[in-house]
Amino acid sequence: MPALPPTPPATHNAERACRRELQVRSRWLRFAPDVEQQFRQFLRQTQSDNFLACIVVGLVLWLGVVGWDVLRYREYFQGTAVESHYLLTIVPARLVSLLMLGGLMLAARRLPDHWLPAAGLATIAAYGICGYVTGYFYLLTGKGDAMALSILILMTVLLPCGMTLRQTLPVSMVLIAAYWTVAWQWLPSAQWVSFRATASLLMVCMGMMAFAAYLRERDARAQFLRHRLLDWEAAHDPLTGLANRRSFQRHFEICLAQAQREGATLMLAILDLDHFKLYNDHYGHKAGDRALQQVALVLGHYAARPMDLAIRLGGEEFGLLSYADDAQALRQRMQHLLAQLEGLQIIHAHSPTALWLTASIGIAQADASATTESLFLQADAQLYRAKRTGRNRVCGLELPVAQPGIKPVETTI
Ligand SMILES: Nc1nc2c(ncn2[C@@H]2O[C@H](COP(=O)(O)OP(=O)(O)OP(=O)(O)O)[C@@H](O)[C@H]2O)c(=O)[nH]1
């Protein structure tokens, strides 16, 4: 028996990987690397509106705090020694954070998706530092409550920003650590009691928000996997894991357009099991299902190139769409496939034509005016020729094909 080509059928792997991730890994907030990459992309696409909403909320709250500051400034510090200190620290700090938040808001619509988390984190870090500078000033002047307010706003912006918990948590930790270090270094001891109370409250809040973010991200991960599974199920046959007729139609149209542009060949082979009704009648439906799965597994190995597609067309009928292949090479590969199926030695004692379960194959090549239906009808006609002339054979494209590919469509401008 000829050996199987090494590549496994990718479709079944994708489904299995998705189910495994759904059962096991979404709770740990980390998928296998390739799934993780797709999840990050999904998160950026689905969360970009949330991201913008959080920045807007942060900006509005921050404007409120600035307005409140101005009132307090006029009320308490105007004309005192503190005024120059105030103007030198708070005003630039507030301005920087306002500019950064405003800039991020404008950039959110234009920046490439993969830059958003980095830009968000940088802005939030700068925003936090500005919060400390102004908060520190308030503590010095006995208005410690404003610091808590600044950092609560920071957390409101920080956690729901469409980033993963692993991205946001280190930033929160660094900000908290900076908060304690700054206070420990520079705060007069008289301020420590009120500082400790505020800082402890902030840490509890941060912990609660981190837990909420964990729950949110876990749900987002499960939702992402369910999406992927639904997409997969809509495009594949559940018994064999091969592409279904619907995805064949979509893939065929893409391949046909590309073949016309590039002058490449596009061929369809239809494979139909021989006397499968007799097989089912004698060995039962379950054995029939198992046989179909074995055939699909072998067929899947013949669609290893990226544009090729193995399809379950329905019942005991399968298809192989082959892009940019040589007609005689495809015929040979199909002969090889029939030899492999015989090599499976699925006993079919009631077949009038062979000892084992066998198949017949019809092949057709698309021309420039081909549609799914026309190519399908041509391959089907060849399949019935194969059935009529004794089964367990390949029919179609017997003679070397004169033209190497589809003639590119001539476009008039
Ligand atoms: N086990 C199983 N059988 C199926 C499935 N889908 C279709 N079949 C069976 O496939 C058989 C197809 O039979 P026919 O269309 O008469 O073809 P055949 O017996 O293979 O005859 P030829 O094609 O002329 O060689 C029927 O018995 C269907 O019940 C399936 O998903 N599982």
Side-chain angles (χ1 to χ4, degrees):
M1 179 187 61
L4 272 178
T7 327
T11 48
H12 243 156
N13 292 347
E15 188 215 6
R16 253 185 261 125
C18 214
R19 288 191 193 284
R20 189 185 55 232
E21 301 287 339
L22 191 57
Q23 280 162 6
V24 180
R25 302 187 58 175
S26 57
R27 89 182 81 134
W28 301 112
L29 306 189
R30 174 70 88 196
F31 295 142
D34 53 329
V35 186
E36 182 70 24
Q37 210 178 350
Q38 289 167 22
F39 169 68
R40 299 270 171 111
Q41 204 175 346
F42 167 85
L43 199 65
R44 286 195 291 269
Q45 281 160 0
T46 54
Q47 302 278 304
S48 64
D49 284 348
N50 288 359
F51 182 82
L52 202 61
C54 291
I55 300 296
V56 172
V57 168
L59 191 63
V60 170
L61 288 172
W62 199 239
L63 280 172
V65 174
V66 172
W68 189 44
D69 272 355
V70 172
L71 288 178
R72 281 149 53 107
Y73 160 72
R74 296 178 131 243
E75 201 174 320
Y76 294 111
F77 311 127
Q78 215 169 18
T80 68
V82 185
E83 186 181 14
S84 62
H85 196 169
Y86 184 94
L87 289 172
L88 275 173
T89 48
I90 292 198
V91 173
R94 292 278 190 243
L95 268 178
V96 167
S97 43
L98 271 176
L99 281 175
M100 291 208 73
L101 277 176
L104 187 62
M105 235 179 79
L106 292 176
R109 287 276 173 236
R110 298 203 185 122
L111 270 181
D113 276 352
H114 61 278
W115 277 105
L116 268 188
L121 287 178
T123 308
I124 285 159
Y127 185 81
I129 291 164
C130 294
Y132 292 146
V133 172
T134 53
Y136 176 66
F137 176 78
Y138 280 130
L139 276 175
L140 286 181
T141 52
K143 310 261 172 286
D145 50 338
M147 187 166 200
L149 190 64
S150 297
I151 297 174
L152 278 175
I153 296 168
L154 168 72
M155 288 191 295
T156 317
V157 180
L158 181 65
L159 287 170
C161 258
M163 297 170 220
T164 62
L165 189 62
R166 278 194 169 80
Q167 286 170 313
T168 53
L169 216 51
V171 179
S172 321
M173 299 289 192
V174 168
L175 290 176
I176 288 266
Y179 182 48
W180 278 91
T181 312
V182 167
W184 180 59
Q185 285 289 322
W186 287 293
L187 208 61
S189 51
Q191 300 286 351
W192 262 98
V193 177
S194 76
F195 169 80
R196 273 210 309 268
T198 311
S200 312
L201 187 68
L202 282 176
M203 288 183 69
V204 172
C205 288
M206 188 72 94
M208 282 164 62
M209 293 204 66
F211 183 60
Y214 165 79
L215 295 179
R216 207 189 60 243
E217 189 180 327
R218 201 183 60 173
D219 278 357
R221 282 175 184 270
Q223 192 194 355
F224 159 76
L225 290 175
R226 273 186 228 112
H227 259 275
R228 262 175 59 119
L229 263 180
L230 280 180
D231 282 351
W232 193 91
E233 279 166 8
H236 294 85
D237 164 52
L239 180 71
T240 60
L242 295 184
N244 62 17
R245 216 169 171 135
R246 189 211 264 170
S247 45
F248 162 60
Q249 174 78 35
R250 203 172 335 126
H251 189 72
F252 175 77
E253 280 159 16
I254 294 168
C255 286
L256 189 63
Q258 187 155 333
Q260 285 171 341
R261 273 199 307 276
E262 296 179 351
T265 57
L266 182 63
M267 286 173 274
L268 174 68
I270 301 183
L271 177 153
D272 188 283
L273 296 181
D274 297 328
H275 305 297
F276 195 60
K277 183 173 181 326
L278 288 174
Y279 186 87
N280 254 341
D281 291 348
H282 286 93
Y283 299 101
H285 207 79
K286 273 206 169 140
D289 280 357
R290 269 199 304 278
L292 289 171
Q293 286 169 325
Q294 282 175 278
V295 172
L297 195 66
V298 173
L299 180 66
H301 285 89
Y302 287 82
R305 298 179 311 165
M307 295 287 282
D308 292 354
L309 188 72
I311 316 132
R312 185 177 179 204
L313 293 164
E316 24 63 281
E317 201 168 69
F318 297 87
L320 181 77
L321 198 61
S322 181
Y323 184 81
D325 205 354
D326 173 76
Q328 295 316 305
L330 180 64
R331 270 185 66 84
Q332 269 176 17
R333 287 201 298 138
M334 293 302 95
Q335 302 277 14
H336 185 271
L337 168 62
L338 290 187
Q340 296 246 288
L341 291 185
E342 273 201 275
L344 291 177
Q345 301 193 341
I346 304 171
I347 293 175
H348 190 349
H350 301 272
S351 165
T353 50
L355 279 177
W356 321 107
L357 190 63
T358 59
S360 303
I361 296 179
I363 314 179
Q365 179 172 349
D367 55 29
S369 60
T371 61
T372 323
E373 286 73 31
S374 69
L375 182 62
F376 196 82
L377 282 176
Q378 284 174 46
D380 216 33
Q382 295 301 330
L383 170 66
Y384 280 94
R385 196 154 71 86
K387 292 270 180 189
R388 269 202 325 273
T389 51
R391 292 180 167 84
N392 193 18
R393 67 195 58 216
V394 180
C395 280
L397 306 181
E398 279 89 356
L399 294 171
V401 179
Q403 89 244 54
I406 296 174
K407 261 180 98 189
V409 176
E410 291 188 9
T411 48
T412 47
I413 302 165

